[in-house]
Amino acid sequence: MSSTSTRRRTAAAILTAALLVPLAACGSDDEKDSGDKATASASGVPEADLTVLAAASLTDVFKSAGAVYEKEHPGTKVTFSFAGSQELAAQVKQGAPADALVTADTRTMDGLRPDTGAPTVIAKNRLVIATAKGNPEKVENLKDLADPGLKVVLAAPEVPVGRYGQQILEAQKIEVKPVSQEPNVRAVLSKVELGEADAGLVYKTDAATATDKVEAIDIPDEQNAVASYPAATLKTSQHSEAAAAFVAWLSTPEAQKILADAGFQQP
């Protein structure tokens, strides 16, 4: 074989090898991309940073639920913004960037129908009378709240818990003159905890978060009101599929157990 022929064959082999290297690299990248996509969709839910507007009475339980959800859905982060339901509704109407909403009453959610998906009730709650630990003023029932010598604090009537409170007091024909009307249930609870009020009407679940400072006086069912908590996606969400998955998860047995353990009633 001539040296010229040998050189040509060697050059051809080198050229072929050079062409195959990029193809092999491309194949490796494709496999890597495919693996990344499989990891991202392993939970069946797109990764996203979700913002959920939630009623103040859900503060503690949703922090726990959010941690569980994030663990089950790697790559997804859930950030909560807690406030009175009426404040949340105002935020939605003003176009606040968020993905889902959970209110403490159906009335507020119903007023946002143009802005939300179909709501689902995920939990229920009831009211109790909160007093200082040991109940120093010896409050026994709703009628005791009418005592002019008792400092009673309520939520404002536009707040769901304030509206529920007003409803049950009026039904029993009890007139209460509160020393203040607060923007959400946690503010009512705080007033009692700090000794700035002798008693206040709060949700049973809120009183349960402060058992070291607050006593809860049960209100008979026939005198009480049931608070329903609807959850819905927001139409302005930039992560509609992930938001819908989170809202749906709130009705799963796992999420329902977290809510029940916190004192919420089943829907």
Side-chain angles (χ1 to χ4, degrees):
M1 184 182 294
S2 68
S3 61
T4 300
S5 177
T6 299
R7 284 197 299 273
R8 286 176 179 172
R9 290 184 178 183
T10 301
I14 292 172
L15 178 59
T16 300
L19 291 171
L20 288 174
V21 169
L23 291 175
C26 287
S28 177
D29 286 344
D30 287 344
E31 290 173 4
K32 181 177 184 298
D33 289 344
S34 177
D36 288 346
K37 288 176 182 177
T39 300
S41 60
S43 67
V45 178
E47 296 180 1
D49 288 345
L50 297 176
T51 297
V52 179
L53 306 179
S57 51
L58 293 166
T59 300
D60 296 273
V61 69
F62 262 21
K63 286 179 180 178
S64 298
V68 172
Y69 189 81
E70 289 178 351
K71 186 175 181 179
E72 292 182 357
H73 301 80
T76 292
K77 179 176 176 56
V78 185
T79 300
F80 296 104
S81 178
F82 299 105
S85 295
Q86 81 290 350
E87 294 180 38
L88 301 178
Q91 291 176 33
V92 170
K93 290 178 179 178
Q94 290 166 9
D99 302 289
L101 169 70
V102 187
T103 61
D105 67 334
T106 55
R107 176 174 168 178
T108 299
M109 185 68 79
D110 288 345
L112 296 169
R113 285 183 181 177
D115 306 291
T116 72
T120 300
V121 173
I122 62 160
K124 293 186 177 181
N125 213 340
R126 289 180 181 273
L127 275 64
V128 297
I129 302 170
T131 71
K133 189 68 176 178
N135 191 10
E137 299 300 324
K138 307 302 179 187
V139 176
E140 296 182 356
N141 50 51
L142 288 172
K143 290 182 179 179
D144 290 340
L145 300 182
D147 183 348
L150 196 69
K151 290 187 295 183
V152 179
V153 62
L154 302 174
E158 61 269 20
V159 185
V161 70
R163 189 163 58 250
Y164 292 133
Q166 188 176 55
Q167 173 186 322
I168 64 177
L169 289 171
E170 289 179 353
Q172 298 301 312
K173 296 180 172 53
I174 300 170
E175 185 177 354
V176 176
K177 295 182 179 179
V179 294
S180 69
Q181 293 182 315
E182 302 300 319
N184 59 66
V185 68
R186 284 306 172 96
V188 175
L189 184 66
S190 179
K191 290 281 187 180
V192 178
E193 286 182 286
L194 295 172
E196 296 176 11
D198 299 319
L201 288 176
V202 302
Y203 294 120
K204 181 178 181 179
T205 54
D206 288 286
T209 67
T211 53
D212 58 329
K213 295 181 180 179
V214 167
E215 196 89 14
I217 312 302
D218 288 332
I219 300 171
D221 286 349
E222 63 272 15
Q223 298 177 10
N224 216 326
V226 177
S228 295
Y229 289 72
T233 57
L234 293 176
K235 292 182 179 178
T236 54
S237 171
Q238 298 299 305
H239 313 287
S240 57
E241 189 175 345
F246 176 75
V247 169
W249 180 81
L250 291 173
S251 293
T252 64
E254 183 175 24
Q256 287 295 301
K257 184 179 185 306
I258 295 172
L259 287 160
D261 288 346
F264 287 88
Q265 298 175 13
Q266 298 296 299

